[in-house]
Amino acid sequence: MDRNQLIGILLIFGLLMVWQQFFAPTPEELQAEQHRQDSIAMVSAQEEMAKESMAALDSSSQQAVAEQPSLPDSLLLLQRSGGVWRICPSYFRRGIATTLSNDLMEVVFSLREVLFRK
């Protein structure tokens, strides 16, 4: 190893040591980072507790559903949709027509046709 290589390695090592001293985190920054990590750990622990309580609620609700008498799928669909008209709206709205009009024309919209009247 010649003299220039040795000087280069020592300079690089010196720069790394100076860099580490100037850009090392302060005790306040370390404390803030520790506080942040503690907050994240606390939130994750609360999420785990919430998941456990939801799992307990789900198991109790599944037991309640199992105790209910079973209904045919069509009746369950009617109960969940809120009424028969939501399942097949076109059947119940056959006669309904919407009219838009202004000074120049009148437009009638229905499920079967669109009429333009002047």
Side-chain angles (χ1 to χ4, degrees):
M1 187 184 275
D2 75 2
R3 197 175 111 200
N4 290 335
Q5 289 177 339
L6 184 63
I7 292 172
I9 290 173
L10 289 176
L11 283 175
I12 290 173
F13 182 72
L15 284 174
L16 287 175
M17 296 301 289
V18 170
W19 180 274
Q20 188 176 15
Q21 288 296 321
F22 279 118
F23 293 106
T26 63
E28 293 84 19
E29 290 173 346
L30 291 173
Q31 216 172 24
E33 182 64 26
Q34 183 63 36
H35 179 69
R36 183 177 155 280
Q37 293 295 329
D38 292 343
S39 299
I40 291 171
M42 185 172 46
V43 168
S44 64
Q46 289 175 352
E47 287 177 354
E48 287 297 321
M49 288 175 42
K51 286 179 184 177
E52 290 173 2
S53 64
M54 289 301 291
L57 286 175
D58 285 344
S59 65
S60 64
S61 66
Q62 287 175 357
Q63 290 173 354
V65 168
E67 293 171 2
Q68 291 180 351
S70 62
L71 297 173
D73 290 341
S74 58
L75 290 177
L76 290 174
L77 183 62
L78 282 174
Q79 285 178 349
R80 291 180 185 147
S81 67
V84 177
W85 66 274
R86 289 190 181 190
I87 294 173
C88 185
S90 62
Y91 177 77
F92 294 100
R93 295 183 184 175
R94 283 186 185 161
I96 297 175
T98 304
T99 304
L100 297 175
S101 62
N102 62 11
D103 296 338
L104 301 175
M105 62 185 232
E106 180 178 331
V107 179
V108 179
F109 295 99
S110 70
L111 290 176
R112 295 183 184 254
E113 59 189 346
V114 177
L115 301 174
F116 293 99
R117 299 180 189 152
K118 291 187 179 186

